[in-house]
Amino acid sequence: MEFADLIEIRELVQYQHVVAAVACLGERPMRYGELGTAISEWTGSRIADGELTRTVRRLEAGGLVKVVPDNDGHRLFMLTPEGHNRRKKAAALGKVLRSWTGD
């Protein structure tokens, strides 16, 4: 393993709600409130409003999502190609980890 590998792994898992958001948005684009609900369901615990705001900002700053208006003019979050790439890497890492533990 090289140091660059560790940096990439850290980027994948550094913020649990970013990982959850990428997983949820991989299913479909969502409005802000829908994303919060989906993250809460995915993680099994409610995400606080402030943490959801920080998560969305991290997604935007990292180029993982783009925001477009939906038919009603609300903000709709959707994964960018980089976001889809991050989702695939996180899924692959999860698969490897599960194979080691037998889950």
Side-chain angles (χ1 to χ4, degrees):
M1 177 182 293
E2 296 185 21
F3 184 71
D5 297 330
L6 293 174
I7 297 299
E8 187 168 359
I9 290 168
R10 184 191 70 187
E11 287 297 314
L12 287 171
V13 299
Q14 185 173 16
Y15 299 107
Q16 70 176 353
H17 293 114
V18 169
V19 175
V22 167
C24 294
L25 290 171
E27 299 296 320
R28 66 179 176 84
M30 296 181 193
R31 290 181 179 180
Y32 182 87
E34 292 175 313
L35 181 58
T37 299
I39 290 171
S40 294
E41 290 173 358
W42 196 81
T43 62
S45 62
R46 185 183 176 284
I47 183 171
D49 293 339
E51 185 59 33
L52 180 57
T53 298
R54 285 187 291 278
T55 297
V56 167
R57 286 183 183 148
R58 288 181 182 120
L59 291 166
E60 290 176 308
L64 302 176
V65 298
K66 64 180 177 179
V67 182
V68 297
D70 68 6
N71 294 334
D72 298 326
H74 295 97
R75 293 171 20 127
L76 190 65
F77 297 92
M78 55 192 324
L79 290 182
T80 62
E82 181 58 32
H84 284 289
N85 187 37
R86 176 77 59 97
R87 182 176 188 248
K88 288 177 188 174
K89 287 179 180 180
L93 181 58
K95 186 175 182 179
V96 168
L97 293 172
R98 283 188 305 279
S99 74
W100 285 350
T101 61
D103 292 343

